[in-house]
Amino acid sequence: MLVVKNITKSLGGRTILHHINFCLRKGEVIALLGPNGAGKTTLMRCLSGFYTPDEGEVVLNGKNLEKQRFDVLQRLAYVPEAGGIYPDMTVYEYLSFMAELKHLDKQQFDENLSYLLKALDLREVINQRCETLSKGYKRRTALAGAMLSRPEVLILDEPTEGLDPQQKQHLRAFLKKYGREDIVLISTHIMEEVDAMADRVLLIKDGKLVCDTTPEDLKKITPDKDIESSFCTIVGR
Ligand code: ADP
Ligand code: MG
């Protein structure tokens, strides 16, 4: 269980996140929604240890991210919106390097690698340099690197952004499956993705958590029972 307790974060002299509280359980895919600039990326950076919150704490299975950083980060993976991979390395070199950073032994690496190459459809590009990959392959390579340690918590910032429809569908199905046993938190602007994947929705506006509900209940907010209309009603557009 990932517990987010009263997180507040300021950047550049401005408070970006205000007292955010929620709790994520295993077996959930959670969609983090909010208009541009709401604070989704900042929140994900706080959850992944990239930022230290000014107030509050992040606790995974009773362990505090700040105090037991290594323990928590071994069980948690974050894939940012862009980048994260090294252009000069081949996919195999990149994944080997990530395995080294995560202290995986040879057997764990071989097992997890073959699972991920198949699940993320990366086998045909294994010896290709990262900079020559298409956007879809780049994103999946970054995801494979993050998932090598089989994290219990996967935090993905707009994971399907820029993918073609087929790649989106494939990735959603994969994450949905992963989320049956673990915690998958994704940020997205695509409402059909929420419908296709999410068990739960967190909506933030101006750095405040304004809604923590299921997609079904979110739809009930508007008469036409449509997630996009409900989203616009809540964010006031
Ligand atoms: P989202 O991902 O929801 O679009 P962000 O978390 O990226 O939102 O940004 C939230 C707000 O914080 C925005 O107003 C953005 O301009 C501001 N912000 C983000 N990073 C910084 C930073 N390093 N310094 C100052 N302000 C920042
Ligand atoms: Mg963002």
Coordinates of all heavy atoms in Angstrom, one line a residue, residues 78-98 101 120 122 125 128-148:
Y78 N 9.5 4.9 -11.7 CA 8.9 6.1 -12.3 C 9.4 6.3 -13.7 O 10.6 6.2 -14.0 CB 9.3 7.3 -11.4 CG 9.0 8.6 -12.0 CD1 7.8 9.0 -12.4 CD2 10.1 9.6 -12.1 CE1 7.5 10.3 -12.9 CE2 9.8 10.8 -12.6 CZ 8.6 11.2 -13.0 OH 8.4 12.4 -13.5
V79 N 8.5 6.5 -14.6 CA 8.9 6.8 -16.0 C 8.4 8.2 -16.3 O 7.2 8.4 -16.4 CB 8.3 5.8 -17.0 CG1 8.9 6.1 -18.4 CG2 8.7 4.3 -16.6
P80 N 9.3 9.1 -16.5 CA 8.9 10.5 -16.8 C 8.3 10.7 -18.2 O 8.3 9.7 -19.0 CB 10.2 11.3 -16.7 CG 11.3 10.3 -16.8 CD 10.8 9.0 -16.5
E81 N 7.7 11.8 -18.5 CA 7.1 12.1 -19.7 C 8.0 11.8 -21.0 O 7.5 11.3 -21.9 CB 6.7 13.6 -19.8 CG 5.3 13.9 -19.3 CD 5.2 15.4 -19.1 OE1 5.8 15.9 -18.2 OE2 4.4 16.0 -19.9
A82 N 9.2 12.3 -20.9 CA 10.1 12.1 -22.0 C 11.5 11.7 -21.5 O 11.8 11.9 -20.3 CB 10.1 13.4 -22.8
G83 N 12.3 11.2 -22.4 CA 13.7 10.9 -22.0 C 13.8 9.7 -21.2 O 12.9 8.8 -21.2
G84 N 14.8 9.7 -20.4 CA 15.0 8.6 -19.5 C 15.9 7.5 -20.1 O 16.5 6.6 -19.4
I85 N 16.1 7.5 -21.4 CA 17.0 6.5 -22.1 C 18.2 7.2 -22.6 O 18.2 8.4 -22.9 CB 16.2 5.7 -23.1 CG1 15.6 6.6 -24.2 CG2 15.3 4.7 -22.5 CD1 15.0 5.8 -25.3
Y86 N 19.2 6.4 -22.9 CA 20.5 7.0 -23.4 C 20.6 6.8 -24.9 O 20.6 5.6 -25.3 CB 21.7 6.4 -22.6 CG 21.6 6.7 -21.1 CD1 21.1 5.9 -20.2 CD2 22.1 8.0 -20.7 CE1 21.1 6.2 -18.9 CE2 22.0 8.4 -19.4 CZ 21.5 7.5 -18.5 OH 21.4 7.8 -17.1
P87 N 20.7 7.9 -25.6 CA 20.7 7.7 -27.1 C 21.7 6.8 -27.7 O 21.5 6.1 -28.7 CB 20.8 9.2 -27.6 CG 21.2 10.0 -26.4 CD 20.8 9.2 -25.2
D88 N 22.9 6.8 -27.1 CA 24.0 6.1 -27.7 C 24.0 4.6 -27.5 O 24.7 3.8 -28.1 CB 25.4 6.6 -27.2 CG 25.7 8.0 -27.7 OD1 25.0 8.4 -28.7 OD2 26.6 8.6 -27.2
M89 N 23.2 4.2 -26.4 CA 23.2 2.8 -26.1 C 22.2 2.0 -27.0 O 21.2 2.6 -27.4 CB 22.8 2.6 -24.6 CG 23.8 3.1 -23.6 SD 23.2 2.7 -22.0 CE 24.5 3.4 -21.0
T90 N 22.5 0.7 -27.2 CA 21.5 -0.1 -27.8 C 20.4 -0.4 -26.7 O 20.7 -0.2 -25.5 CB 22.0 -1.4 -28.3 OG1 22.5 -2.2 -27.2 CG2 23.2 -1.2 -29.3
V91 N 19.3 -1.0 -27.1 CA 18.3 -1.3 -26.1 C 18.8 -2.3 -25.1 O 18.6 -2.2 -23.9 CB 17.0 -1.9 -26.9 CG1 16.0 -2.5 -25.9 CG2 16.4 -0.8 -27.7
Y92 N 19.6 -3.3 -25.6 CA 20.2 -4.3 -24.7 C 21.2 -3.6 -23.7 O 21.1 -3.9 -22.5 CB 20.9 -5.4 -25.5 CG 21.4 -6.5 -24.5 CD1 20.6 -7.4 -24.0 CD2 22.7 -6.5 -24.1 CE1 21.0 -8.4 -23.1 CE2 23.2 -7.4 -23.2 CZ 22.4 -8.4 -22.7 OH 22.8 -9.3 -21.8
E93 N 22.0 -2.8 -24.2 CA 23.0 -2.1 -23.4 C 22.3 -1.2 -22.3 O 22.7 -1.2 -21.1 CB 23.9 -1.2 -24.2 CG 25.0 -2.0 -25.0 CD 25.6 -1.1 -26.1 OE1 25.2 0.0 -26.4 OE2 26.6 -1.6 -26.6
Y94 N 21.2 -0.5 -22.7 CA 20.5 0.3 -21.8 C 19.9 -0.6 -20.7 O 20.0 -0.2 -19.5 CB 19.4 1.1 -22.5 CG 18.5 1.8 -21.6 CD1 18.9 2.9 -20.9 CD2 17.2 1.4 -21.4 CE1 18.1 3.6 -20.0 CE2 16.4 2.1 -20.5 CZ 16.8 3.2 -19.8 OH 16.0 3.8 -18.9
L95 N 19.2 -1.7 -21.1 CA 18.6 -2.5 -20.1 C 19.6 -3.2 -19.2 O 19.4 -3.3 -17.9 CB 17.7 -3.5 -20.8 CG 16.5 -2.9 -21.5 CD1 15.7 -3.9 -22.3 CD2 15.6 -2.1 -20.6
S96 N 20.7 -3.6 -19.7 CA 21.8 -4.1 -18.9 C 22.3 -3.1 -17.8 O 22.5 -3.4 -16.7 CB 23.0 -4.6 -19.7 OG 22.7 -5.3 -20.7
F97 N 22.4 -1.9 -18.3 CA 22.9 -0.8 -17.5 C 21.9 -0.5 -16.3 O 22.3 -0.4 -15.2 CB 23.1 0.4 -18.3 CG 23.5 1.7 -17.6 CD1 24.7 1.7 -16.9 CD2 22.7 2.8 -17.6 CE1 25.1 2.8 -16.2 CE2 23.1 3.9 -16.9 CZ 24.3 4.0 -16.2
M98 N 20.6 -0.5 -16.7 CA 19.6 -0.3 -15.7 C 19.6 -1.5 -14.6 O 19.4 -1.2 -13.4 CB 18.2 -0.2 -16.3 CG 18.0 1.0 -17.2 SD 18.3 2.5 -16.3 CE 16.8 2.7 -15.3
L101 N 22.3 -0.8 -12.2 CA 22.0 0.2 -11.2 C 21.0 -0.3 -10.2 O 21.0 0.1 -9.0 CB 21.3 1.4 -12.0 CG 22.1 2.3 -12.9 CD1 21.2 3.4 -13.4 CD2 23.3 2.8 -12.2
L120 N 6.5 -6.3 -23.9 CA 6.5 -5.0 -24.5 C 6.9 -4.9 -26.0 O 7.1 -3.9 -26.6 CB 7.4 -4.0 -23.7 CG 6.9 -3.7 -22.3 CD1 8.0 -3.1 -21.4 CD2 5.7 -2.9 -22.3
L122 N 9.6 -5.8 -27.7 CA 10.9 -5.1 -28.0 C 11.9 -6.0 -28.6 O 13.1 -5.6 -28.9 CB 11.5 -4.6 -26.7 CG 10.8 -3.4 -26.1 CD1 11.3 -3.1 -24.6 CD2 11.0 -2.1 -26.9
V125 N 14.0 -5.0 -31.7 CA 14.9 -3.8 -31.7 C 16.0 -3.9 -30.6 O 16.7 -2.9 -30.4 CB 14.1 -2.5 -31.4 CG1 13.2 -2.2 -32.5 CG2 13.4 -2.5 -30.1
Q128 N 19.3 -2.4 -31.5 CA 19.2 -1.1 -32.1 C 19.6 0.0 -31.1 O 19.2 -0.1 -30.0 CB 17.8 -0.9 -32.6 CG 17.7 0.0 -33.8 CD 16.3 0.0 -34.5 OE1 15.7 -1.1 -34.7 NE2 15.7 1.2 -34.7
R129 N 20.3 1.1 -31.6 CA 20.6 2.2 -30.8 C 19.4 3.0 -30.4 O 18.5 3.2 -31.3 CB 21.6 3.1 -31.5 CG 23.1 2.7 -31.2 CD 24.0 3.1 -32.3 NE 23.8 4.5 -32.7 CZ 24.6 5.5 -32.3 NH1 25.6 5.3 -31.5 NH2 24.4 6.7 -32.7
C130 N 19.3 3.4 -29.2 CA 18.0 4.0 -28.7 C 17.7 5.3 -29.5 O 16.5 5.5 -29.8 CB 18.2 4.4 -27.2 SG 18.2 3.0 -26.1
E131 N 18.6 6.0 -30.0 CA 18.3 7.3 -30.7 C 17.7 7.0 -32.0 O 17.0 7.9 -32.6 CB 19.5 8.2 -30.9 CG 20.6 7.6 -31.8 CD 21.8 8.5 -31.9 OE1 21.7 9.7 -31.4 OE2 22.8 8.0 -32.4
T132 N 17.8 5.7 -32.5 CA 17.2 5.4 -33.8 C 15.8 4.8 -33.7 O 15.2 4.5 -34.7 CB 18.1 4.4 -34.6 OG1 18.1 3.2 -33.9 CG2 19.6 4.9 -34.7
L133 N 15.3 4.7 -32.5 CA 14.0 4.1 -32.3 C 12.9 5.0 -32.6 O 13.1 6.3 -32.3 CB 13.9 3.6 -30.8 CG 14.9 2.5 -30.3 CD1 14.7 2.3 -28.8 CD2 14.7 1.2 -31.1
S134 N 11.7 4.5 -32.9 CA 10.6 5.4 -33.1 C 10.1 5.7 -31.6 O 10.5 5.1 -30.7 CB 9.5 4.6 -33.8 OG 9.0 3.6 -33.0
K135 N 9.2 6.7 -31.6 CA 8.7 7.2 -30.3 C 8.1 6.0 -29.4 O 8.4 5.9 -28.2 CB 7.7 8.3 -30.5 CG 7.4 9.0 -29.2 CD 6.8 10.4 -29.5 CE 6.6 11.1 -28.2 NZ 6.0 12.4 -28.4
G136 N 7.3 5.2 -30.1 CA 6.7 4.1 -29.3 C 7.7 3.1 -28.7 O 7.6 2.7 -27.6
Y137 N 8.7 2.8 -29.5 CA 9.8 1.9 -29.0 C 10.6 2.6 -27.9 O 11.0 2.0 -26.9 CB 10.7 1.5 -30.1 CG 10.2 0.3 -30.9 CD1 9.9 0.4 -32.3 CD2 9.9 -0.9 -30.3 CE1 9.4 -0.6 -33.0 CE2 9.4 -2.0 -31.0 CZ 9.2 -1.8 -32.4 OH 8.7 -2.9 -33.1
K138 N 10.8 3.9 -28.0 CA 11.6 4.6 -27.0 C 10.8 4.6 -25.7 O 11.4 4.3 -24.6 CB 11.8 6.1 -27.4 CG 12.9 6.3 -28.3 CD 13.1 7.8 -28.6 CE 14.2 8.0 -29.6 NZ 14.1 9.2 -30.4
R139 N 9.5 4.8 -25.7 CA 8.7 4.8 -24.5 C 8.7 3.4 -23.9 O 8.8 3.3 -22.7 CB 7.3 5.3 -24.8 CG 7.2 6.7 -25.4 CD 6.3 7.6 -24.7 NE 6.8 7.9 -23.4 CZ 6.2 8.7 -22.5 NH1 5.1 9.3 -22.9 NH2 6.7 8.9 -21.4
R140 N 8.6 2.4 -24.7 CA 8.6 1.1 -24.2 C 9.9 0.6 -23.6 O 10.0 -0.1 -22.7 CB 8.0 0.1 -25.3 CG 6.5 0.0 -25.1 CD 5.8 -0.2 -26.4 NE 6.3 -1.1 -27.3 CZ 6.2 -1.1 -28.7 NH1 5.5 -0.1 -29.2 NH2 6.7 -2.0 -29.4
T141 N 11.0 1.1 -24.2 CA 12.3 0.8 -23.7 C 12.5 1.4 -22.3 O 13.0 0.8 -21.4 CB 13.4 1.3 -24.7 OG1 13.2 0.7 -25.9 CG2 14.8 1.0 -24.2
A142 N 12.1 2.7 -22.2 CA 12.1 3.4 -20.9 C 11.3 2.6 -19.9 O 11.7 2.4 -18.7 CB 11.7 4.8 -21.0
L143 N 10.1 2.1 -20.3 CA 9.3 1.4 -19.4 C 9.9 0.1 -19.0 O 9.9 -0.3 -17.8 CB 7.9 1.2 -20.1 CG 6.8 0.5 -19.3 CD1 6.5 1.2 -18.1 CD2 5.6 0.3 -20.2
A144 N 10.5 -0.6 -20.0 CA 11.2 -1.9 -19.6 C 12.3 -1.7 -18.6 O 12.4 -2.4 -17.7 CB 11.7 -2.5 -20.9
G145 N 13.0 -0.6 -18.8 CA 14.1 -0.3 -17.9 C 13.6 -0.1 -16.5 O 14.2 -0.6 -15.5
A146 N 12.5 0.6 -16.4 CA 11.9 0.9 -15.1 C 11.3 -0.3 -14.4 O 11.3 -0.5 -13.2 CB 10.8 2.0 -15.2
M147 N 10.9 -1.3 -15.3 CA 10.2 -2.5 -14.8 C 11.1 -3.7 -14.5 O 10.6 -4.7 -14.1 CB 9.1 -2.9 -15.7 CG 8.0 -1.8 -15.8 SD 6.6 -2.3 -16.8 CE 5.9 -3.6 -15.8
L148 N 12.4 -3.5 -14.8 CA 13.3 -4.6 -14.7 C 13.3 -5.2 -13.3 O 13.5 -6.4 -13.1 CB 14.7 -4.2 -15.0 CG 15.1 -4.3 -16.5 CD1 16.5 -3.7 -16.7 CD2 15.1 -5.8 -17.0

